Amino acid sequence: MYVFQTFSAINDNIQYTDEFEIFLLIPIMMIVIPMVYLIRIKLFDRFVYGIDLRKIDEELEKYDALEQELEREVQFYDYKKNT
């Protein structure tokens, strides 16, 4: 964002400084701002709150695997019961 402002301040050929350049920045900022915010959230959670998202993901995967195993056992016993 500041590059456009600096360029328009240095370039003397521009008649109207910093009037419409902001419209060129909107698509770029729509991508950059969410990425920076997500990185900030991850760093803030890890270093301020002590939350490690990888450990939470590993624990959730463990619970999913256990749930799938229990569903297979239930299906096995239901099959045995019906035959």
Side-chain angles (χ1 to χ4, degrees):
M1 188 164 147
Y2 297 116
V3 173
F4 279 107
Q5 291 173 342
T6 305
F7 179 73
S8 60
I10 293 173
N11 192 356
D12 293 333
N13 296 333
I14 298 176
Q15 188 176 9
Y16 303 105
T17 305
D18 200 19
E19 279 189 17
F20 298 107
E21 285 100 3
I22 193 71
F23 296 122
L24 298 173
L25 288 176
I26 290 174
I28 296 170
M29 298 310 286
M30 287 175 61
I31 295 170
V32 171
I33 289 174
M35 287 175 41
V36 169
Y37 186 71
L38 288 174
I39 292 170
R40 178 206 164 276
I41 287 173
K42 286 185 179 185
L43 291 174
F44 197 79
D45 285 345
R46 180 176 293 161
F47 294 116
V48 174
Y49 292 127
I51 299 172
D52 191 6
L53 296 177
R54 280 186 240 132
K55 288 181 182 178
I56 294 172
D57 286 339
E58 289 172 3
E59 187 175 347
L60 289 174
E61 287 176 5
K62 194 183 333 179
Y63 286 133
D64 286 340
L66 181 63
E67 184 178 349
Q68 289 175 358
E69 183 180 330
L70 290 174
E71 285 177 3
R72 277 189 250 128
E73 287 181 11
V74 167
Q75 288 175 355
F76 175 73
Y77 288 121
D78 285 342
Y79 176 74
K80 249 183 141 175
K81 190 189 272 186
N82 291 333
T83 56

